[in-house]
Amino acid sequence: MTGADTRVVVVGAGLAGLTAAVELATAGADVTVLEARQRVGGRMHGIPMSSTVIADGGAAYLGVRHTELLAMIRENGLGLASTEMLGDSTFLLSDERTTTASRVPPLDAVALGDLFDRLESLVAEVCAEAPWASPRAEYLDGLTVARWVAEELEHPAARAFFPMFIGEMMAADPARISVLHMAFYLRSGGGIRYLNAFKGGAQEWRIDGGAHQLCEALARRLGNRIRLGRDVDAVEQIGDGVLVHSTSTVDGMASEHRADYVVVAIPPLLAQQIEFRPGLPAPRATPATGRGCAVKVHLSYPSPIWREHGLSGWSVSSDGPLLSTVDDSPSDLSAGILTGFVTGAAAASFSALSLPEKADAVLAHARKLFPQLPAPTRCSVTDWLADRYSKGCYAALFGPGDWMRLGPTLTEPHGRVHWAGTETSLEFFGLMEGAIRSGRRAAHELIYGADVAADSRKATAQ
C-alpha cells in the first residue's frame, strides 16, 4: 500500500474487521467500514441483564495464550474477570442428577480416557499450518464425526459423553462436521486440555463488564469511518480500483463506495452471498458448510445464590436444552448470572421454538438442575443460529470436503479483495484471538505486502 490517500473498504465491524480497520487507519489509509447491523461487534454482543449488569451474548472467554487479545484489552484500558469456580459441579445424565467436586462426569473413567486418547491421536495428525496437507487429509475430511464415533467408540459412556464435549468445545453437530475440521479446531485452539480448561486454559478469564466493550473501544478510535446499516451486496473490481455496492438496512437505498482495496471480514456463509465481479476462483463456503450450532441463555438472580448451596453453577446435561451452564456473575457480585449453552444438534430444534417456548424449556431445565434456586428474575435467549448477520456461532462449521476445497484459498487475495475473520485464521480458529490475528494479517498484507506479512507470521509462530 502506498500513500495516505489509499482507500480501503472493510466489510464487517466485528472484531476482525475493526482490528484491520484500526491497523490500516493508523498506517494512514483512508478507511471506511461497512456494517449491516446497527451496532459494532459481530459475534461479540452485550446483553443487558439489569441497569448495571451486561452479560456476554456471544464470545466471552480467553486465556493466557491469547496474547494479541490480552494486549488489545490492556491497550484499551479494559480489565479481566476470573472465571474461577468454587463449589460442586452438577450433572444431569439420563435424568439422574448428581453433584460432585469433580468437573469430570460420573461416567466410566476408562472409556472416557480411551476417547481422549483417540482424539489426541487425531489432533496430532493435523498439519496446523495447512490442514488440507495433513496425512490422510482427504480421508479425514470426507468422514463425518458422527460416522467416526459410530466406528471408533464402542463404550456407551464414551458415546454419551462425546456430543456434550464437542458441543461445548465447538458448538457442533457431529453429523455436520468432518473429522479433519474437528481435529484441526482442537489443535488450532491449543489442544484439548487447554481448550477445555478454566484455570490455566482458554476459559480462564472474561473481559470485565463484557467483551463487547473491546469492539466499542476500537470503534471509538475509528469514529465516523464506520457506516452502520450498510449490507454489502456486490464487490466489483474495475481497472485499478474496486466498487463496493451496499444497501441500507433501514430504507433500502443503494450506495456505492469506491476504494483501492477491500477487506472482507465476515463469516464464510455471508461472504458467499456477496456477488464478486470478476467471480471468485474458489467459493468461501459450500453447501456442506454449516452454521455454528449455539444458542446462549442467561438467567439472572439477585446474587449467585447457588454458591450458598455449595454449588459452582457449572453443570453438564446429557439432554437439552441446556447442555452446560457456567457462573458468569459480575466480579462485584451485584447479580448472579448463570449462562447456559444450547449447542450441537439440540440447538437446531431449540432455535425452531417460539420465544415463549424457549423460555419455558429453559426454566424447566434450570429447575431440574438447581431445584434449590428460586425462579430467575430474567431469562434472556441469544439465538445465533437465527441471526441473519452471523449465521451461527462460535464459528462456521466445515463439513465433509470443505477443508480440501476451501482451505488452500482461505487467505489468498482475490485481486484487490483480501480476507479476514476468525474462520480465516489457522491460529485459534473460531476464537477472538483468531479474529484479531486475521484482521492484522489482512491489514499487513496491504501495508507491507502479502509476502512480508507471511514472513512476519512465520517468525511470530516460531
Side-chain angles (χ1 to χ4, degrees), residues 210-249:
H212 66 285
Q213 297 174 108
L214 184 57
C215 291
E216 291 174 354
L218 295 175
R220 284 193 293 272
R221 294 169 64 179
L222 292 166
N224 60 11
R225 297 180 180 94
I226 299 175
R227 313 277 179 85
L228 299 177
R230 303 306 313 182
D231 191 1
V232 172
D233 312 305
V235 175
E236 184 178 8
Q237 300 190 58
I238 305 173
D240 60 354
V242 186
L243 193 60
V244 180
H245 302 265
S246 73
T247 303
S248 169
T249 59

Side-chain angles (χ1 to χ4, degrees), residues 159-179:
R159 291 193 175 193
F161 175 72
F162 183 81
M164 295 183 277
F165 168 77
I166 209 66
E168 181 181 0
M169 289 295 96
M170 298 179 61
D173 178 349
R176 297 295 306 276
I177 59 172
S178 75
V179 174

Side-chain angles (χ1 to χ4, degrees), residues 7-22 24-25 30-36 222 225-227 230 232 244 257 259 261-266 418 420 439 442-443 446:
R7 298 166 300 173
V8 182
V9 167
V10 177
V11 181
L15 184 56
L18 293 171
T19 299
V22 168
L24 289 163
D30 179 2
V31 177
T32 300
V33 181
L34 303 179
E35 167 57 48
L222 292 166
R225 297 180 180 94
I226 299 175
R227 313 277 179 85
R230 303 306 313 182
V232 172
V244 180
H257 314 267
Y261 299 95
V262 174
V263 175
V264 177
I266 56 178
H418 293 248
L446 294 178

Side-chain angles (χ1 to χ4, degrees), residues 129 427 437 454-462:
E129 296 79 17
E427 303 167 305
R437 295 189 184 205
D455 290 342
S456 176
R457 291 195 305 275
K458 289 177 183 177
T460 300
Q462 293 170 355

